[in-house]
Amino acid sequence: MLDLLLAIIHHLAAFSLLGLLCAQLVLLHSRLDKRAVRLLARLDIAYGIVAAAVLAAGFARAAMAAKGWEFYATSLAFWAKIAAFALIGLLSILPTLRFRQWRRAGEPVPATELSLVRGYVTLELLLFPLIPVFAALMARGFF
């Protein structure tokens, strides 16, 4: 039962993370008034919380659930999944910093910054499918 509960939490958090990224990208393609910038900052806080939930549930699942840590520790697909997640996390640092900066400034967002942040969020979304691909490979014992 623990394995099932952790799997549900892990998957719901991962899908929520994807939804939050999509919401950020939609907002970044709209006119960024003060309200939109505040919403971006709030979405980004939620993104960080949900990313932590994905990690916590995922590692709890690896350590305590049905397959056990040994299965995951020896799987290259597991480590590739972790690397993809980490890369996406690293890419999210610049948008996070910009969202906070824009919120404090209260001025119109410079077009060059908006374009740069939009590119980072787009890249995060383009890399995101690697996570379930590696998860599927891992679950089936491929590399």
Side-chain angles (χ1 to χ4, degrees), residues 21-29 32 36-37 40-41 44 47 88 90-103 109-126:
L21 265 178
C22 289
Q24 285 181 356
L25 190 59
V26 167
L27 276 174
L28 289 167
H29 280 284
L32 284 184
V37 169
L40 270 171
D44 195 60
Y47 179 78
I88 292 167
L90 289 171
L91 287 169
S92 76
I93 293 170
L94 183 130
T96 295
L97 295 174
R98 289 299 191 268
F99 297 156
R100 290 178 182 175
Q101 180 184 37
W102 297 345
R103 188 174 184 190
V109 175
T112 55
E113 283 190 27
L114 179 58
S115 179
L116 177 68
V117 170
R118 191 181 304 128
Y120 270 71
V121 173
T122 299
L123 186 53
E124 289 177 63
L125 278 167
L126 289 172

Side-chain angles (χ1 to χ4, degrees), residues 1-26:
M1 191 57 127
L2 177 63
D3 187 51
L4 175 62
L5 180 61
L6 290 172
I8 290 168
I9 293 168
H10 186 66
H11 290 109
L12 288 176
F15 285 117
S16 297
L17 196 64
L18 181 60
L20 288 164
L21 265 178
C22 289
Q24 285 181 356
L25 190 59
V26 167

